[in-house]
Amino acid sequence: MTKKRVLFIYNPRAGKAKIRSNLLDIIDIFTKADYEVIAYPTQAKGDGLMAVKQREPGSYDLIVCSGGDGTLDEVVTGMMQCEERVPIGYVPAGSTNDFANSLGIPKNMIQAAQAIVNGKPFYCDIGTFNEDIFVYIAAFGLFTDVSYETRQDIKNVLGHMAYILEGMRRLSTVRSYRMKVESEGFSAEGDFLFGMITNSTSVGGFKRITGKYVELDDGKFEVTLIKKPANAMELNQIMTALLAGNINNECMYCFRSEAVRLYSDEEIAWTLDGEFGGKHREVEIFDKKQALPILVP
């Protein structure tokens, strides 16, 4: 009987490098589930994407990745660029793991691996961003460059507190962006401090920040656009409202949409799943409904 094959792509440096103390147990779990395991430790940015794209069609029954949200983003992007799409398993090892939390995937790496071999496929929405792919968040403005500019060793020690501390350090240099935003049933133009298009129940480790009743397979994003505050007190009110999950007030726009278009006169830096997504004047974002099976408990 031919064994099933799994390609296990992992980032050996993610989340305090805790994969090192779990790797053999994870491989053992897949082996006991009658998988032949091919392990692939990434060495540089983009390795996970290329490992998925360059595989021979039909060579694997399952692709599992372990690392932070950036590792998951690479594997999903690679899969979305292939004609043959096989289920993806995720063993979270990063410092926040927003998307894993949204899917109910255990934080414990051994339990996450067991959930993959015993779980079921969940057909999840995936976002397109111009020519790129993102799993759960595309964002611009305040704090969005914190993730990719915070050193890995600081992330490992502080976890998601690193993002908050780094962001607070920058409050004196907060700026806004003049943009026009269009969607089905919505149009606005103004100065925005921050914007995020999400398919997640948490961002940066904070739950409910994207809204209530979030569904990851409904074909719609949750969109949050924060207007430029008039003063420091208003900025504090915005931050307090976000952290408390009270996102519908006069300081921001919040709506659901399957497609969003944003235009600006200047190039604006974006982050996709915590990684640098380039600078753009025009952005088109679409929700590809139930595009990819991800194994969940």
Side-chain angles (χ1 to χ4, degrees):
M1 182 177 176
T2 304
K3 275 195 171 186
K4 296 174 290 185
R5 300 181 86 226
V6 55
L7 176 61
F8 182 42
I9 300 167
Y10 65 93
N11 180 352
R13 294 166 298 281
K16 302 180 184 178
K18 58 184 177 182
I19 186 67
R20 295 177 186 175
S21 58
N22 291 279
L23 181 60
L24 296 181
D25 288 331
I26 291 171
I27 291 176
D28 187 55
I29 288 169
F30 290 126
T31 302
K32 282 184 168 66
D34 207 30
Y35 280 100
E36 177 187 351
V37 183
I38 292 84
Y40 183 92
T42 61
Q43 304 299 310
K45 183 178 174 63
D47 280 0
L49 187 152
M50 296 311 297
V52 175
K53 283 188 67 176
Q54 293 177 353
R55 77 191 195 285
E56 290 290 327
S59 55
Y60 297 103
D61 302 279
L62 171 65
I63 292 181
V64 175
C65 63
S66 181
D69 291 331
T71 304
L72 177 65
D73 177 89
E74 285 195 15
V75 170
V76 168
T77 298
M79 189 68 74
M80 290 294 291
Q81 293 176 357
C82 295
E83 288 188 15
E84 181 202 44
R85 296 176 186 169
V86 301
I88 287 176
Y90 183 35
V91 178
S95 41
T96 51
N97 303 311
D98 288 309
F99 195 65
N101 294 335
S102 299
L103 290 172
I105 295 172
K107 293 180 181 179
N108 180 281
M109 299 182 81
I110 303 303
Q111 292 175 5
Q114 291 169 338
I116 292 170
V117 298
N118 297 317
K120 59 183 179 181
F122 174 78
Y123 283 81
C124 187
D125 294 354
I126 300 295
T128 65
F129 178 95
N130 289 351
E131 303 299 318
D132 213 333
I133 299 289
F134 68 98
V135 180
Y136 77 98
I137 182 170
F140 70 88
L142 182 66
F143 297 172
T144 54
D145 61 347
V146 170
S147 177
Y148 54 81
E149 288 191 2
T150 303
R151 296 203 318 270
Q152 184 64 52
D153 56 345
I154 296 177
K155 288 185 194 179
N156 289 346
V157 173
L158 297 177
H160 66 251
M161 274 305 295
Y163 305 131
I164 306 306
L165 293 173
E166 183 69 11
M168 293 300 290
R169 186 177 67 81
R170 294 159 177 249
L171 279 179
S172 61
T173 60
V174 166
R175 60 161 300 185
S176 60
Y177 302 89
R178 187 75 182 174
M179 302 183 79
K180 182 179 181 181
V181 183
E182 294 180 346
S183 178
E184 69 269 20
F186 178 86
S187 180
E189 189 168 354
D191 294 315
F192 298 103
L193 188 74
F194 170 80
M196 62 181 179
I197 295 88
T198 61
N199 190 40
S200 176
T201 60
S202 70
V203 171
F206 295 104
K207 295 188 175 182
R208 297 182 301 145
I209 201 170
T210 60
K212 299 177 181 178
Y213 316 117
V214 174
E215 300 289 344
L216 306 187
D217 62 348
D218 62 357
K220 290 185 180 293
F221 295 117
E222 282 65 43
V223 182
T224 304
L225 299 167
I226 300 177
K227 303 174 190 177
K228 179 183 179 181
N231 49 52
M233 183 178 294
E234 199 169 281
L235 176 59
N236 287 336
Q237 290 174 348
I238 291 170
M239 297 303 294
T240 301
L242 277 174
L243 297 180
N246 301 321
I247 60 172
N248 289 299
N249 60 43
E250 65 275 10
C251 298
M252 59 187 83
Y253 296 114
C254 303
F255 58 94
R256 286 189 170 97
S257 175
E258 61 188 32
V260 186
R261 295 172 178 83
L262 303 99
Y263 310 92
S264 60
D265 291 333
E266 62 176 312
E267 288 192 330
I268 296 175
W270 284 77
T271 178
L272 305 178
D273 298 329
E275 303 294 327
F276 183 55
K279 294 184 177 182
H280 308 272
R281 285 192 178 92
E282 296 186 10
V283 168
E284 290 190 333
I285 298 173
F286 295 96
D287 186 309
K288 298 184 78 68
K289 185 177 182 180
Q290 301 177 10
L292 198 63
I294 298 178
L295 291 168
V296 300

